[in-house]
Amino acid sequence: NIVKELAARGLPTRAVVRKKKTDFDSRVEVKEADFFDLPQLTKALEGGSTVFLLTPEDPSSTDILGDTKQVINNYHQAIQANGIKKLVGLSCVGAHVEGNTGNILMSRMLELGFDDLNLSKVFIRPSYYFSNWLGFMETIEQYGVMPSFFPADLKIDMNSPLDVAKFAAKAIVDDHKESDKQIFELAGPEKYSSREVAEVFARVLHKKVEVQSIPKEQWKQTLLSAGFTDNTSANLMAMTQAVIDQSVPPEHEDQVNKLSTSLEQYLTEMFKG
């Protein structure tokens, strides 16, 4: 989505992917690189001035934090080798928090991984993505049940990934002073509980949908059966618990950037036609 936003602005855009895809805009240059392969990654960034960075997502990893450390180290060296002037990193809400926050630690590592580099640094911290709920579509459609790892009435910030992509594209093209490190925290127009999310699905799909909270003692087995390893399950469970404990709020509550798309608008667009 970010690549689409940049291409639509007529900007020279390169996508670096592990496996070449054909669904990019024809104006987008596509390079293949394994982020664990430093020479490949360094070559893929040649000629660039601004880079957008992600942390690795791999449910099959046996050491996701170790993988993240290696990828960030490779990013660091590839950026130095190519004289990149600006980086924009996709972080997440709560990245400022120390402690066992599971997957959120990956974002914290990303934010801290380039402090010694003399370039402009921008980190974007979205809240929970609306799109995460789409992973339960099969259960919702077949049984009218929406599973949730959260208590049914716990309200949390959520946002549209499309809004986040637009915000990130703007951050990429906006001027930022060299050596600055800027943080932007994002949230949608309102908080939702899992019960309210189920009610929105019900309205959009015109069918009865009820939330089913998964008890904590069933989290691990649920994740393992979905293809996660012991390691990635443990990190996802730690992040989930941190959200439930409300120990990973925005760092600056009064400065959160409010995005415009509601959950109902997002799902209506997703299921249009």
Side-chain angles (χ1 to χ4, degrees):
N1 289 324
I2 294 170
V3 170
K4 286 180 184 176
E5 288 287 333
L6 294 171
R9 293 169 183 245
L11 297 166
T13 305
R14 178 187 302 164
V16 181
V17 295
R18 287 192 179 182
K19 291 185 179 178
K20 213 154 196 176
K21 298 179 181 180
T22 57
D23 57 349
F24 285 111
D25 187 293
S26 59
R27 294 168 291 184
V28 176
E29 180 187 7
V30 182
K31 294 272 190 182
E32 276 189 72
D34 183 337
F35 294 173
F36 292 96
D37 186 319
L38 179 57
Q40 275 188 20
L41 183 61
T42 302
K43 187 169 179 57
L45 297 189
E46 270 182 9
S49 59
T50 300
V51 64
F52 178 76
L53 303 179
L54 298 161
T55 50
E57 288 190 24
D58 181 8
S60 65
S61 173
T62 55
D63 183 9
I64 194 65
L65 296 181
D67 290 350
T68 301
K69 183 178 180 180
Q70 183 181 345
V71 167
I72 290 172
N73 184 54
N74 285 352
Y75 284 158
H76 187 287
Q77 293 186 64
I79 285 169
Q80 272 191 304
N82 285 295
I84 300 290
K85 301 295 184 187
K86 176 180 176 181
L87 75 83
V88 178
L90 185 65
S91 182
C92 76
V93 67
H96 64 291
V97 176
E98 292 186 57
N100 183 22
T101 59
N103 286 10
I104 297 174
L105 283 175
M106 297 160 66
S107 292
R108 181 171 176 79
M109 292 163 69
L110 182 71
E111 288 192 13
L112 297 176
F114 308 92
D115 284 351
D116 62 319
L117 294 185
N118 186 33
L119 76 165
S120 176
K121 297 175 276 282
V122 179
F123 294 100
I124 298 168
R125 296 177 181 170
S127 48
Y128 196 82
Y129 291 109
F130 293 156
S131 50
N132 290 339
W133 299 105
L134 299 178
F136 298 116
M137 275 311 301
E138 188 176 340
T139 309
I140 291 170
E141 289 176 337
Q142 286 190 17
Y143 305 107
V145 170
M146 189 196 78
S148 174
F149 287 94
F150 302 123
D153 294 309
L154 173 70
K155 286 178 177 277
I156 63 172
D157 280 316
M158 302 184 194
N159 47 223
S160 163
L162 303 179
D163 285 354
V164 174
K166 288 178 182 175
F167 192 97
K170 185 176 185 302
I172 288 169
V173 300
D174 282 354
D175 287 332
H176 298 91
K177 291 180 183 178
E178 196 166 299
S179 301
D180 272 2
K181 181 177 181 179
Q182 290 187 273
I183 304 290
F184 294 101
E185 297 180 301
L186 311 182
E190 61 182 299
K191 294 186 178 187
Y192 296 91
S193 68
S194 300
R195 193 183 308 281
E196 289 167 334
V197 172
E199 290 168 357
V200 174
F201 269 103
R203 288 197 297 274
V204 172
L205 297 175
H206 305 292
K207 66 176 292 176
K208 187 176 181 182
V209 180
E210 295 182 346
V211 65
Q212 182 181 72
S213 290
I214 302 168
K216 186 175 180 179
E217 58 270 18
Q218 294 177 20
W219 287 358
K220 185 173 183 178
Q221 190 52 50
T222 302
L223 291 168
L224 292 176
S225 64
F228 287 76
T229 63
D230 280 342
N231 178 267
T232 52
S233 295
N235 279 284
L236 188 55
M237 289 189 294
M239 177 176 68
T240 302
Q241 191 61 56
V243 173
I244 292 171
D245 293 342
Q246 300 181 52
S247 61
V248 283
E251 186 172 12
H252 305 289
E253 290 271 8
D254 59 335
Q255 297 175 27
V256 173
N257 293 266
K258 290 293 185 179
L259 305 175
S260 61
T261 304
S262 69
L263 177 60
E264 191 145 355
Q265 289 170 326
Y266 174 78
L267 292 180
T268 299
E269 185 65 26
M270 288 297 103
F271 299 128
K272 189 168 63 178

